[in-house]
Amino acid sequence: MVKQIPNKWFYFGVVLLSVYFVVRLVDQFQITSMFPLDTTNDISNYLFMLHSFGEFSYLSLVNYWYNGFILFSVYPPGWFFFVYPLYLVFKDVLVVSYLSLIIQYVLGLLILVYFFRKVGFGWFKGFIFFVLFFMNPIAIGNFIRLMRLPSMLGWVLFIAIAFLIFYYKDRDLDKWFLLVVPLYAALIFTHQTEAILIHFLVLGLLLVKPWRERIYIVLSLVLGLLLS
């Protein structure tokens, strides 16, 4: 029998990381009124692409400089479609970027808490995992400091698929496994790094499933690929 790690072992780390996270998140609020002109960030490029998406459209020619370029011809557009409804409401790429950051944190928390409860670990361990995954210094550097928001959305989708895989590892596949189809399509459409990594978990699921369910899994991925 596997011995459970007591929750109290994590209290100090959770509080410490949470306080640091809140401080950094509040400090980053200044992006809603000041365009990031520092040389070390990813968000300025995303802001320009979002503005261009609003001014032109998907796969349109952006002719602001030189001979122009085709928008999203070489970069996945998933995050931009995700935040476009916010852009239509606020008409401000700075505000939209910060709201997107908050929304993606909330989505990550809800997914983790739900699935941890679903597999029997309890909601608090889900919260602990959220803190360790999204509030560690590396994650804060990527998601708050650099604001790599497409990658962050990719990780949110990755976690949703990962926990579906974990949930069905010891259970028979049913119709709810088809949630993998839109999630996998959205992941491909959002960020390539996490889309590549998820296949290692899918491979693990294939290794422990009978042939009938392996075919079901492969067909689900093919449908997701076609949908993307």
Side-chain angles (χ1 to χ4, degrees), residues 142-201:
N142 279 327
F143 302 148
I144 297 181
R145 171 65 184 87
L146 299 178
M147 293 196 76
R148 300 184 65 224
L149 299 179
S151 176
M152 183 181 181
L153 183 58
W155 279 115
V156 171
L157 294 167
F158 178 97
I159 288 173
I161 298 173
F163 274 95
L164 279 174
I165 291 172
F166 183 83
Y167 179 78
Y168 283 104
K169 176 176 65 70
D170 300 316
R171 296 173 175 84
D172 294 334
L173 300 184
D174 56 26
K175 63 181 181 180
W176 294 108
F177 184 77
L178 289 176
L179 287 172
V180 166
V181 175
L183 289 172
Y184 180 61
L187 181 58
I188 293 173
F189 208 53
T190 299
H191 205 254
Q192 64 279 4
T193 305
E194 295 76 25
I196 293 171
L197 290 175
I198 199 63
H199 292 95
F200 292 97
L201 297 184

Side-chain angles (χ1 to χ4, degrees), residues 70 129 131 144 184:
I70 302 299
F129 191 90
V131 171
I144 297 181
Y184 180 61

Side-chain angles (χ1 to χ4, degrees), residues 91-122:
K91 300 294 184 181
D92 188 329
V93 293
L94 298 176
V95 172
V96 168
S97 67
Y98 190 78
L99 286 176
S100 168
L101 179 68
I102 302 299
I103 291 171
Q104 288 169 208
Y105 274 123
V106 172
L107 286 176
L109 176 62
L110 293 177
I111 290 170
L112 287 170
V113 168
Y114 175 78
F115 276 108
F116 266 75
R117 288 186 61 189
K118 194 74 173 177
V119 299
F121 289 144

Side-chain angles (χ1 to χ4, degrees), residues 60-71:
S60 292
L61 176 67
V62 179
N63 54 8
Y64 283 136
W65 64 76
Y66 298 109
N67 294 319
F69 66 93
I70 302 299
L71 189 63

